[in-house]
Amino acid sequence: MRQYCGIDWATNHHDIAIVDADGRVTARRRVDNDAAGFTELLALLAEAGDTATDPIPVAIETDRGLWVAALHATGRKVYPINPLAASRYRTRHAVSGAKADATDAALLANILRTDIEAHRPLPDDSELAQAIRVLARAQQDAVWSRQQLGNQIRDLLKDYYPAALVAFADLPSGGLARCDARTILTVVPTPTLAARLTRAQLRRLLIKAGRQRCIDRDVDRLIGVFRNASLHQPQSVETAMGIQLTALLIQFDAACTASADLAEAATTQFERHPDAAVITSFPGLGKLAGARILSEIGDDRARFTDARGLKAFAGSAPITRASGKKTVVQHRRIKNRRLAAVGPIWALSSLRASPGARRHFDARRAAGDWNHQAQRNLFNKFLGQLYHCLQTAQPYDEALAFPAATATAA
């Protein structure tokens, strides 16, 4: 008789339940979160009839961690169940709101028993794809942290040091995240100190930050900005704010360095992957954006049954809500936010690299789409093409992706 396993995981221990095809709990145990506990789990599965040729599927409310990796390595299907979905199933058995770890483990097992086809198992991604996922996600987190810290620094500078915003606003490629901007602000964290800088000191700071071109031009411009008359906070308040800026800059420097180092590591691993050539053949997709896409969709070709599944996963496909006489079409809010974040970057970059993408975007705008809607629609179209190219191992073809309009006969 078919068996199903559910694991309610926690920090120090896990509750395990195995149910049969009729929903009866045939085994139950609490084990420690360590290698000995995992051995107990395997023994419990073996007692329930688990074999190498017919392993018992496992449901668990997470898709990462040592236990998930070890379970996946045994060759069995592991089903990461969304905690929100599990909570909906819980009300089928009790509307009182009662909850216990042991009953949750049985609940997860019963989810597989009743609706296994409605849930997606953990994909069989290669080890290289999993390594790219770790690095790409870490790099994306570092970028988000950098943006958050940059916003905090910008808000602080508005309150007491607007000259710094003026000084670095016109510099290309990064603004406050530039190495020369961070270097100067670290040395002169207040407008009073900045006004005392000499041309020689500014020149040395720019060289220290790695600048090699247009140094004299920027020295003259920065001197003019820093020495221009401006409003000041009281001296003690300004000094305190300078100390706060210095503390934020330490974190900001670390986030900028981590972002750059992780980007290099992620792209290096990405270049080794067989799918890299296909992914980067698309207009507007560089190595880092390609690594982010590969990290989220993986290289298991069976993960998505068709292109629609990939589009829904990325949140680019619209969702329809129909009830009675009312039908509403709107964009998806439940999606892979990491993959969705690549969409605007890819769409906007492709407008300069692909005439077909430009035509498609302009046509959507002319049809009444807002800017973000047109970007999302273009991203959706690219994902469908990417799915096909990866399945067939073919690079992007502009002529096939965006066929030129056929001229009508006179």
Side-chain angles (χ1 to χ4, degrees), residues 138-153 176-178 182 247-263 292:
Q139 196 276 337
Q140 198 170 33
D141 287 338
V143 170
W144 287 339
S145 177
R146 184 187 67 191
Q147 291 173 343
Q148 183 180 26
L149 288 166
N151 290 337
Q152 292 180 35
I153 291 174
L176 292 175
R178 290 172 56 104
R182 289 181 280 126
L248 286 174
L249 284 172
I250 294 174
Q251 302 174 60
F252 195 45
D253 281 335
C256 291
T257 302
S259 174
D261 293 345
L262 288 167
R292 290 180 180 176

Side-chain angles (χ1 to χ4, degrees), residues 318-324 326-334:
I319 187 172
T320 302
R321 297 182 181 272
S323 178
K326 184 178 181 181
T327 300
V328 178
V329 179
Q330 55 188 196
H331 72 275
R332 292 177 182 266
R333 299 187 183 277
I334 306 300

